[in-house]
């Protein structure tokens, strides 16, 4: 069995191989998250909330079920039980474990998970938030190619009490066209799901392993009417509305955490880091990717956090 | 809990024209903002909506898993709705791999199916997809044809099964749902009658003057100049114009005799049944 691993700064002991996670170097502290294979618990009482793939019971006990992949039980923010489907391969288990399950884990642990990639620029982290397919990981990778370390890809956890963003794990999900555009090799990469054009790309050499204060939040949109890209500050009320839509696993999260706790996190985040709408032209050929990264880099270099972000109210 | 009207068509068959007409009608016949359709802008295969409603990452799902989950998405959306839902559809009417209708029958108020001469569709589709006419004709004959599929990146819309042009028409005309069939050519030659039929089918309360005003507001030349002046969000990148000619029979100037024969052979039965042959 592999040694203990690091995820969002937690000590993880996993029966499932997780080659994308860094080893645990934090000394003798107790294990935070235990991942095992086994039979999924079956609560006697009815669930509180049911979605096609998700079931939630009292105390935030959560089950993710995908017929072709398996069942993922997540409990108390510390215990995960996996029951793989017959023909599932390990990489598919990892896709959901480091995706939806991580999101639920954050909610159970009282963190605010944002649907965003985070990149370190000048000692702070910018968030690139947005809906799936809008280009968060792509922009983060283009910034990576310009020397800016990855903090988190796709899911970024904000710790409200300390007002810090937690480094997730050194892996990006990138599609073939982006790998080619950034001249990254795709030999030996594992697909997100078998046959999908999206791959798990190790990023260990460009990863920021320590928590960072947020400096700016960019909500990424594509806009077919634009010729290049535009960055506009969102007024406070709009900033909250935009950010609210970016809560990762929002529907389930609102049932696990008291909604006021989530909104407190959002408002604290938005009070520290200005929220910008980052609208870019559709760019299927990725010809404008470098220019976009350059523009965001230049913007992030001069943007100032609104508060010091030391955790004080 | 509310139910759906599906505005269904093969691509490039007048669906957006009808939606803009309905948008205008919802504003008493005013010129619609083509880039901000509020009343009739909904689409049945929006990735963001799928993720929001099912609280799952669509990128982590296979195409088959997405298709299986789509009826659940409509159930969740219908439960939360407080007015009938209007959705543009390009999928064929089919069963999912789980054996249930992709568009749940019990959630369906009705379907408007728009159809257009496949020879004109081929010309318009080639332009829209930036493909050759032969590629468009090939696509229209392919029973496995899909929309929003890419081997290189993840598109904004969920993958949609088009099937062939004939298969698409048959799927909707045989679907066990209440239906209004609208022909593009009829909408051109007598817009007030045929847009009016759509209005009645949808149960919208509008008198003849209002319908006439909305027809006028979405006259082809007006849409084209709107697009020219302001751009249109639904025009794919690199494509010259979404609203291109808006006529019937333009294929006579664009297709070779061999291309015409190919389409008429591929789709003979359905073309005959719709009086296109």
């Amino acid at each position: 069995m592999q040694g203990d691993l690091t995820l969002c700064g937690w000590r993880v002991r996993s029966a499932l191989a997780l080659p994308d996670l860094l080893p645990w170097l934090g000394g003798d502290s107790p294990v935070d998250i235990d991942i095992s294979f086994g039979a999924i618990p079956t609560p006697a009482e009815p669930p509180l909330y049911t979605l096609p793939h998700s079931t939630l019971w009292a105390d935030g006990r959560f089950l993710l079920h995908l017929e072709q992949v398996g069942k993922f039980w997540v409990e108390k923010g510390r215990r995960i039980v996996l029951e793989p489907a017959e023909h599932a391969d390990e990489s598919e288990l990892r896709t959901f474990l480091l995706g939806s399950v991580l999101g639920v884990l954050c909610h159970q642990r009282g963190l605010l998970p944002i649907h965003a990639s985070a990149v370190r620029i000048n000692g702070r982290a910018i968030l690139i938030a947005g809906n799936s397919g809008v280009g968060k990981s792509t922009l983060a990778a283009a910034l990576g190619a310009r020397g800016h370390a990855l903090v988190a890809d796709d899911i970024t956890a904000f710790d409200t009490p300390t007002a810090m963003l937690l480094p997730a794990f050194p892996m990006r999900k990138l599609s073939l066209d982006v790998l080619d555009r950034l001249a990254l090799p795709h030999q030996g990469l594992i697909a997100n799901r078998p046959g999908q054009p999206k791959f798990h790309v190790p990023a260990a050499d460009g990863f920021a392993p320590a928590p960072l204060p947020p400096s700016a939040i960019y909500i990424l949109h594509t806009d077919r009417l634009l010729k290049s890209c535009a960055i506009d500050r969102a007024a406070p009320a709009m900033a909250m509305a935009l950010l609210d839509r970016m809560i990762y696993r929002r529907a389930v999260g609102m049932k696990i955490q008291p909604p006021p706790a989530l909104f407190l996190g959002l408002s604290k985040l938005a009070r520290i880091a200005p929220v910008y709408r980052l609208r870019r032209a559709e760019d299927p050929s990725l010809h404008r990717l470098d220019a976009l990264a350059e523009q965001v880099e230049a913007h992030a270099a001069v943007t100032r956090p609104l508060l010091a972000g030391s955790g004080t109210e | 809990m509310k139910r759906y009207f599906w505005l269904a068509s093969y691509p490039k068959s007048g669906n957006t024209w009808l939606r803009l007409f309905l948008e205008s009608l919802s504003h008493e016949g005013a010129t619609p903002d083509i880039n901000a359709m509020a009343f009739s802008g909904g689409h049945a295969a929006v990735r963001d909506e799928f993720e929001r409603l099912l609280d799952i990452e669509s990128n982590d799902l296979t195409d088959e898993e997405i298709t299986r989950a789509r009826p659940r998405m409509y159930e969740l959306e219908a439960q939360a709705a407080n007015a009938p839902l209007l959705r543009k559809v390009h999928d064929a009417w089919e069963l999912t791999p789980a054996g249930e209708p992709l568009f749940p029958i019990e959630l369906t108020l009705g379907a408007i199916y728009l159809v257009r001469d496949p020879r004109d569709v081929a010309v318009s589709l080639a332009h829209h997809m930036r493909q050759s006419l032969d590629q468009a004709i090939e696509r229209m004959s392919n029973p496995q044809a899909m929309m929003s599929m890419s081997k290189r990146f993840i598109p904004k819309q969920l993958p949609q099964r088009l099937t062939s042009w004939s298969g698409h028409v048959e799927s909707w005309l045989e679907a066990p749902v209440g239906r209004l069939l609208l022909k593009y050519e009829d909408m051109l030659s007598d817009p007030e009658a045929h847009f009016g039929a759509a209005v009645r089918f949808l149960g919208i309360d509008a008198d003849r003057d209002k319908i006439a005003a909305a027809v006028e507001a979405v006259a082809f030349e007006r849409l084209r100049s709107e697009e020219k002046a302001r751009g249109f969000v639904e025009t794919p990148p690199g494509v010259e114009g979404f609203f291109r000619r808006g006529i019937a029979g333009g294929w006579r100037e664009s297709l070779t005799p061999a291309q015409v024969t190919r389409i008429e052979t591929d789709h003979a039965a359905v073309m005959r049944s719709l009086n296109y042959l």
Side-chain angles (χ1 to χ4, degrees), chain A residues 127 214-219 233-234 239 243 269-277 299 303-307:
Chain A
L127 288 180
S215 62
I217 302 163
Y218 297 92
I219 315 268
R233 177 81 188 273
L243 266 187
L269 181 58
R271 264 185 291 140
I272 297 169
V275 174
Y276 298 94
R277 253 187 231 268
H299 189 273
T303 193
R304 292 277 169 274
L306 304 170
L307 290 174

Side-chain angles (χ1 to χ4, degrees), chain B residues 33-74:
Chain B
D33 180 347
I34 64 173
N35 293 312
M37 274 191 266
F39 175 72
S40 47
H43 191 294
V46 177
R47 190 175 286 279
D48 298 348
E49 286 298 290
F50 178 94
E51 298 202 343
R52 186 180 64 80
L53 289 159
L54 300 179
D55 209 24
I56 190 110
E57 197 81 356
S58 63
N59 291 346
D60 289 345
L61 303 181
T62 61
D63 294 344
E64 189 195 316
E65 286 166 343
I66 289 173
T67 305
R68 279 173 181 265
R70 277 177 62 190
R72 305 288 86 73
M73 163 191 172
Y74 300 126

Side-chain angles (χ1 to χ4, degrees), chain B residues 105-126:
Chain B
I105 292 169
E106 63 280 9
L107 296 181
T108 298
L109 285 166
I112 295 183
Y113 188 72
L114 296 110
V115 70
R116 184 183 187 186
D117 188 318
R119 294 163 294 199
D120 279 332
V121 171
V123 177
S124 185
L125 188 66

Side-chain angles (χ1 to χ4, degrees), chain B residues 116-186:
Chain B
R116 184 183 187 186
D117 188 318
R119 294 163 294 199
D120 279 332
V121 171
V123 177
S124 185
L125 188 66
H127 177 83
H128 189 78
M129 305 290 296
R130 295 203 292 165
Q131 287 183 329
S132 70
L133 286 164
D134 287 326
Q135 283 171 314
I137 291 165
E138 176 66 33
R139 184 184 176 82
M140 289 170 67
S141 73
N142 176 5
Q144 304 302 330
M146 303 280 300
M147 253 187 102
S148 295
M149 282 280 284
S150 172
K151 292 187 166 62
R152 312 267 314 154
F153 63 95
I154 306 252
K156 272 187 137 171
Q157 286 180 8
L158 301 169
Q160 298 148 67
R161 257 178 68 77
L162 282 180
T163 73
S164 68
W165 181 84
S166 291
H168 197 278
V169 175
E170 286 174 322
S171 80
W172 279 95
L173 296 191
E174 288 164 12
V177 296
R179 173 178 46 249
L180 174 70
L181 174 66
L182 283 183
K183 288 172 83 173
Y184 187 87
E185 296 75 15
D186 295 340

Side-chain angles (χ1 to χ4, degrees), chain A residues 51-54 64 66-69 95-96 99-100 115 131-133 154 173 175-177 180 192-193 196-198 222 224-225 248-253 282 284, chain B residues 35 47-48 50-62 64-65 68-69 72-73 76 130 150-156 230-237:
Chain A
L51 285 171
H53 307 94
S54 304
L64 178 72
L66 289 125
E67 231 170 283
Q68 318 282 329
V69 180
T95 289
F96 288 95
S100 278
H115 200 184
N131 290 331
S132 289
D154 205 41
K173 289 186 195 176
S175 52
L176 272 180
D177 54 350
D180 289 344
N192 195 48
R193 293 293 298 276
Q196 244 188 8
K198 204 163 185 178
T222 51
R224 278 186 172 172
L225 302 182
Y248 191 79
R249 292 290 77 89
R250 187 183 186 281
V252 166
E282 277 205 355
Chain B
N35 293 312
R47 190 175 286 279
D48 298 348
F50 178 94
E51 298 202 343
R52 186 180 64 80
L53 289 159
L54 300 179
D55 209 24
I56 190 110
E57 197 81 356
S58 63
N59 291 346
D60 289 345
L61 303 181
T62 61
E64 189 195 316
E65 286 166 343
R68 279 173 181 265
R72 305 288 86 73
M73 163 191 172
L76 288 163
R130 295 203 292 165
S150 172
K151 292 187 166 62
R152 312 267 314 154
F153 63 95
I154 306 252
K156 272 187 137 171
R230 276 177 262 281
F232 182 40
V233 282
E234 297 187 24
T235 308

